[in-house]
Amino acid sequence: MAPSAPSINSTMSSRMATARPSSYRYKSDKRGMTYNIMLVGQSGLGRRTFLNTLCEREVIPPPEAPNPETANIADPMRFDTYEVNIEEDGTRISMTVIDTPGFGDGLDNTECFKQLQDYIEAQFDEVLVEESRIKRNRRYRDHRIHTLIYFITPTGHSLRELDIELIKRLGEYVNIIPVIGRADSLTVEELATFKQNVMRDIDYYKLPMYNFCWDESDTEALKENRDIMDYTPFSVVTCDEVLDNEFGAVRVRRYPWGSIEIDDEGQCDFALLRYILLNSHIADLINYTEDVLYENYRTKKLEVGGFGEGEGEGDEENDEDEEVQGAKNE
């Protein structure tokens, strides 16, 4: 099966060959970029293989076989963190990926929503505390989530209540990019209809997913971003297998009836999505997090009294000690 997607026009394809200009990206070429991604979706939608395929290496090993006696019991959601250093078009990217196994696997997922919101807000609060200090920690590492990849179950119908609630609750704190996990389980026609239904629900419920066209002042990129919006939600097929053919190494997912080359833009949207996440739009996602989402959160937080009294003050001396110790170790 080859999942359908609008064909990438010549303008889009040419831009995929060369990174779109970005002052943030170019300034970060030498020192590298700090980039944080969160993966959210129910079990079985391919989060592990998505990350491994995205990074072109094994980041998360295959899971152990579940215990049959406890297989019917849903594990509570947890946050698993992975540090990955990659180089994309000459730019070093220090990427932190937060996976969320256990999300949506229970009957009542209210606690999952709360945990996710608390986690994302906590990263904002850390920056807010750091900004309030008289002497800031030069070694501070920004952990704000720049992108949340949300895996939609390929029901073939429309968004579920779980999907709607998550995007509603988290959309004001993080850039949510929806993807259809295991898109190869749908036929060409089913996938096209499902994409239309998902976007219809997003419009109807006014769900705050990431808007690629948020910066309308960048006229050069505006058309490209409008074209990208036509692909949303992105259909994703991933794999752990690399085969050699006459054209070189290709990443494929094999089935009894054939195979899918996941980097083939005519078969799924993975190649385009990877280019967006690690190349053309990485600066946009970071900038929107820092300049819009965080600033909105900061304003609301300070209007209601900010962080707790004394929070962040007692740690300044410890941070200075850490800096001195770090300098000695160097």
Side-chain angles (χ1 to χ4, degrees), residues 127-143:
V127 176
L128 188 56
V129 169
E130 184 65 25
E131 290 178 346
S132 70
R133 290 175 173 163
I134 297 174
K135 183 177 180 181
R136 298 187 185 183
N137 182 2
R138 292 177 302 165
R139 298 178 179 275
Y140 175 75
R141 209 284 196 185
D142 188 352
H143 292 96

Side-chain angles (χ1 to χ4, degrees), residues 100-294:
T100 56
F103 170 82
D105 294 343
L107 295 177
D108 183 359
N109 296 289
T110 305
E111 187 60 28
C112 291
F113 299 138
K114 183 178 184 304
Q115 284 181 267
L116 288 168
Q117 183 173 337
D118 288 348
Y119 184 96
I120 295 170
E121 286 190 16
Q123 315 316 311
F124 282 166
D125 288 337
E126 281 188 6
V127 176
L128 188 56
V129 169
E130 184 65 25
E131 290 178 346
S132 70
R133 290 175 173 163
I134 297 174
K135 183 177 180 181
R136 298 187 185 183
N137 182 2
R138 292 177 302 165
R139 298 178 179 275
Y140 175 75
R141 209 284 196 185
D142 188 352
H143 292 96
R144 286 174 292 189
I145 306 300
H146 301 123
T147 307
L148 188 153
I149 307 296
Y150 182 62
F151 291 77
I152 300 171
T153 302
T155 63
H157 302 294
S158 58
L159 290 178
R160 300 166 304 159
E161 184 178 348
L162 177 75
D163 309 323
I164 294 170
E165 184 64 21
L166 177 127
I167 300 175
K168 272 186 177 179
R169 292 189 61 160
L170 301 185
E172 67 175 292
Y173 304 106
V174 66
N175 300 313
I176 298 178
I177 296 181
V179 304
I180 300 172
R182 298 186 61 186
D184 51 332
S185 64
L186 300 174
T187 66
V188 173
E189 294 76 14
E190 289 171 342
L191 181 59
T193 301
F194 187 45
K195 282 193 171 192
Q196 293 174 358
N197 292 344
V198 168
M199 293 309 297
R200 181 198 60 201
D201 287 347
I202 287 174
D203 290 338
Y204 179 81
Y205 293 104
K206 296 180 172 57
L207 301 180
M209 56 170 270
Y210 178 67
N211 178 14
F212 287 93
C213 301
W214 68 275
D215 185 5
E216 296 187 357
S217 64
D218 189 350
T219 56
E220 180 183 351
L222 191 57
K223 184 181 185 304
E224 174 191 352
N225 289 331
R226 286 172 177 163
D227 290 341
I228 287 174
M229 291 296 292
D230 291 338
Y231 289 81
T232 308
F234 300 95
S235 59
V236 169
V237 180
T238 58
C239 72
D240 285 328
E241 188 172 6
V242 179
L243 298 180
D244 291 324
N245 64 17
E246 56 183 320
F247 302 107
V250 293
R251 297 185 292 181
V252 300
R253 189 173 190 90
R254 293 202 287 183
Y255 309 88
W257 45 262
S259 63
I260 290 179
E261 294 185 17
I262 65 167
D263 294 309
D264 184 342
E265 298 159 7
Q267 300 190 38
C268 74
D269 301 332
F270 177 80
L272 174 61
L273 179 59
R274 186 182 189 280
Y275 170 73
I276 289 169
L277 293 176
L278 300 181
N279 196 315
S280 65
H281 288 71
I282 185 172
D284 291 344
L285 292 161
I286 293 173
N287 287 337
Y288 194 78
T289 299
E290 296 177 354
D291 299 338
V292 179
L293 298 177
Y294 170 70

Side-chain angles (χ1 to χ4, degrees), residues 5 18 31 37 56 69 95 101 166 198 207 255 308 317:
T18 305
R31 69 175 185 271
I37 294 179
E56 300 178 341
E69 297 181 359
M95 185 165 65
L166 177 127
V198 168
L207 301 180
Y255 309 88
E317 185 175 339

